[in-house]
Amino acid sequence: MAPFPETEIMTIKRLEVALRRMDFKLLKDGAYKLHEKFHSGYKFEYIDLLKDILAQTTNNTSIPEDIRDVLCPTIKDIISDKGVDFESSGKVSNLTSMSYNSSLREGGTAVREKTQENSISAFDVFSAPKHEQGMQSSNVTVPITQPSNVINEENSQNENQEIQDTPPQLKTISIYYGQDNSPEKIKNILKYKEMIAKFDDEHYSISQILKLISEINIQSDTNVSELKNILDQIKISGNKMNLITNSSSRELVDLFENEQYSYSLYDENELNQMTLIPAFGLSNQFMCLNCKEEYIDKNNPVKSLVIECPKCKSPMFPNFYAANKQNNQINMKYYNNALVSLANSKVWVLIHPSTEDTLFSNMLINAFKLNREIETVYILEKDINLREAFRREFALINNNVEINVQMTALEDFINSLR
């Protein structure tokens, strides 16, 4: 599906964020977005901002040449179209008939009209907003004899439009994404952890272990595509984001890789916009039994059950974790990273939180108690009883925080990013 038109300031904002973070994937995406917008006949207004981007791009030799070959000539064409001349640089933006990569035109930065058909039912309720088509500026010349009050009214309207288009202040957002971990899956993982601990004693056969890994993978590798729309909007906004989840689906990494999000795994990195914290591990995250080396198997169509350690050549097995009321087999570093991320974020988005998952529900309550800067919590869950249960818990701790449990919570959150 083709993306909805976006405002001029959002197109420019993408380029500014990419330059600030030196995110060349996002910069390339923004360059093609700008080029397409110009050749669609759009008349740009924020020329000074574009001049700044041009200067930064021209003077930065670390930016790949293929990106500069699109971005710089396009900005020069836009500025020239406004009546400003540039000396010829020998490079002309003559790409109108260029066949763009579909991932740039219709991929990760576009707003979708609706979530994918295979999304979980809760997102059928908390549907994404439809963007209105942006209005292009008029080329009509105002006569000198026009009354001053009309001119002042038009200037006021233009100023209001600029205020509306100004991006909001960037914040750190924490998303908790909950998926159902069945008792059978938890039981299998706890049994698996026991088998791996006794692997050197050969108490269990390798065939038993591999069979159990295969069963856990089937239980783990659930669909996470419902996250895409919300992550796309955060990527465009430039806000920092932590995604904390109890899911161990390999599709989480595939989503971040395929959509070219700038992210780090478990540990926050100032160079990356997003942090992925799957506190129970991932089905494609392997650990060496010998040297404890870790490895993420990315975008592999074949689901490996065991691989060879690239460091010491010993076997590497999936690094699963699980918890129930009797037994918690967790990685404390992962848990603490998730807790700290929540405690330091001004905005929370809770997707499918559950009171049955006591480890994570307690984490949310404890992080809320520790957080002195939190402003808003959006709770996205079809079950109104669960939404109200968490709202009441949070209100008892701090009733000054806005807790949004409305049916429009997702739409309200995305609107807050604009």
Side-chain angles (χ1 to χ4, degrees):
M1 181 181 296
F4 284 95
E6 65 183 13
T7 63
E8 175 186 343
I9 196 65
M10 188 59 73
T11 302
I12 294 174
K13 179 65 180 175
R14 181 188 292 105
L15 294 169
E16 291 177 337
V17 170
L19 286 170
R20 184 170 67 250
R21 301 185 184 280
M22 282 293 96
D23 183 342
F24 296 143
K25 292 180 180 178
L26 183 61
L27 186 62
K28 185 173 184 178
D29 188 4
Y32 279 93
K33 288 282 186 180
L34 185 74
H35 183 269
E36 288 184 331
K37 195 174 188 70
F38 172 66
H39 284 284
S40 71
Y42 184 85
K43 301 300 181 182
F44 287 80
E45 297 297 330
Y46 295 94
I47 301 302
D48 288 341
L49 296 180
L50 288 171
K51 286 181 179 178
D52 290 340
I53 292 172
L54 177 62
Q56 293 180 57
T57 306
T58 302
N59 297 330
N60 193 334
T61 57
S62 65
I63 296 175
E65 186 175 357
D66 64 320
I67 298 178
R68 283 187 288 162
D69 284 347
V70 174
L71 184 55
C72 294
T74 300
I75 295 178
K76 289 181 179 182
D77 284 352
I78 292 171
I79 298 175
S80 296
D81 190 55
K82 299 294 289 187
V84 179
D85 293 328
F86 280 95
E87 294 182 2
S88 176
S89 63
K91 295 179 181 178
V92 181
S93 176
N94 189 22
L95 307 176
T96 307
S97 61
M98 186 175 184
S99 177
Y100 303 125
N101 186 307
S102 60
S103 66
L104 294 176
R105 289 189 296 141
E106 302 180 1
T109 58
V111 179
R112 295 296 196 266
E113 181 178 359
K114 59 181 179 180
T115 55
Q116 297 184 15
E117 293 181 358
N118 57 0
S119 296
I120 295 178
S121 58
F123 271 57
D124 293 335
V125 177
F126 298 100
S127 57
K130 296 182 179 180
H131 287 201
E132 296 181 358
Q133 175 133 356
M135 296 294 292
Q136 296 187 2
S137 60
S138 173
N139 292 325
V140 177
T141 302
V142 179
I144 297 177
T145 56
Q146 187 170 2
S148 60
N149 64 325
V150 176
I151 297 176
N152 291 336
E153 182 179 349
E154 288 189 353
N155 289 338
S156 176
Q157 290 174 351
N158 290 335
E159 290 173 359
N160 290 337
Q161 182 62 44
E162 288 186 18
I163 292 173
Q164 292 173 6
D165 283 341
T166 301
Q169 184 179 0
L170 299 183
K171 300 178 181 180
T172 299
I173 301 166
S174 275
I175 297 177
Y176 169 72
Y177 179 56
Q179 287 200 331
D180 179 39
N181 285 318
S182 65
E184 292 78 13
K185 177 186 175 184
I186 295 172
K187 180 180 177 180
N188 283 339
I189 291 177
L190 295 177
K191 182 179 179 181
Y192 167 73
K193 300 290 284 186
E194 179 185 350
M195 285 184 169
I196 292 299
K198 298 179 179 179
F199 181 78
D200 289 337
D201 300 331
E202 298 184 357
H203 185 71
Y204 299 100
S205 69
I206 187 66
S207 61
Q208 287 178 292
I209 295 177
L210 295 180
K211 182 178 180 181
L212 187 55
I213 292 173
S214 179
E215 186 173 346
I216 296 173
N217 282 349
I218 292 173
Q219 296 167 328
S220 296
D221 294 337
T222 50
N223 190 302
V224 299
S225 62
E226 63 178 336
L227 287 171
K228 183 181 181 305
N229 181 59
I230 196 170
L231 296 183
D232 283 348
Q233 297 304 308
I234 293 173
K235 176 182 177 181
I236 293 173
S237 73
N239 290 280
K240 278 274 193 177
M241 186 212 73
N242 306 302
L243 176 61
I244 298 133
T245 181
N246 67 348
S247 173
S248 52
S249 175
R250 69 194 298 119
E251 292 194 13
L252 286 164
V253 172
D254 289 345
L255 174 64
F256 275 68
E257 290 288 322
N258 293 338
E259 299 305 322
Q260 300 183 349
Y261 300 134
S262 170
Y263 81 102
S264 54
L265 190 61
Y266 294 113
D267 296 302
E268 290 188 31
N269 186 322
E270 62 178 10
L271 298 179
N272 294 315
Q273 183 186 5
M274 301 182 180
T275 307
L276 173 60
I277 309 177
F280 281 162
L282 296 163
S283 64
N284 59 338
Q285 180 184 5
F286 294 84
M287 176 177 283
C288 178
L289 292 183
N290 180 42
C291 68
K292 306 307 178 183
E293 180 79 5
E294 293 187 340
Y295 176 78
I296 298 290
D297 193 23
K298 300 177 182 178
N299 286 329
N300 188 348
V302 179
K303 295 183 179 181
S304 303
L305 303 180
V306 60
I307 62 176
E308 181 183 79
C309 176
K311 187 175 180 180
C312 71
K313 308 305 179 184
S314 298
M316 303 183 84
F317 290 96
N319 196 21
F320 291 114
Y321 296 93
N324 58 21
K325 294 180 180 179
Q326 293 77 36
N327 190 354
N328 288 337
Q329 292 286 337
I330 62 174
N331 184 312
M332 286 307 301
K333 177 186 175 183
Y334 298 169
Y335 180 89
N336 289 335
N337 285 356
L339 181 66
V340 170
S341 296
L342 286 162
N344 290 331
S345 297
K346 290 189 175 183
V347 178
W348 286 11
V349 180
L350 308 184
I351 305 173
H352 312 313
S354 171
T355 54
E356 295 295 319
D357 191 337
T358 55
L359 181 75
F360 281 92
S361 61
N362 288 338
M363 176 197 289
L364 293 171
I365 297 300
N366 290 331
F368 192 85
K369 291 177 180 178
L370 293 170
N371 196 322
R372 296 289 181 264
E373 302 295 328
I374 190 165
E375 298 174 353
T376 313
V377 178
Y378 300 88
I379 303 179
L380 279 55
E381 165 56 43
K382 189 173 183 179
D383 188 339
I384 188 173
N385 294 320
L386 281 175
R387 301 202 305 270
E388 284 297 323
F390 279 97
R391 185 193 64 78
R392 287 194 298 269
E393 286 283 353
F394 294 145
L396 287 173
I397 299 169
N398 186 348
N399 61 8
N400 293 321
V401 178
E402 178 187 358
I403 314 296
N404 189 328
V405 296
Q406 303 302 315
M407 298 291 285
T408 59
L410 177 58
E411 181 177 351
D412 295 340
F413 169 67
I414 291 179
N415 285 337
S416 74
L417 298 176
R418 298 176 183 173

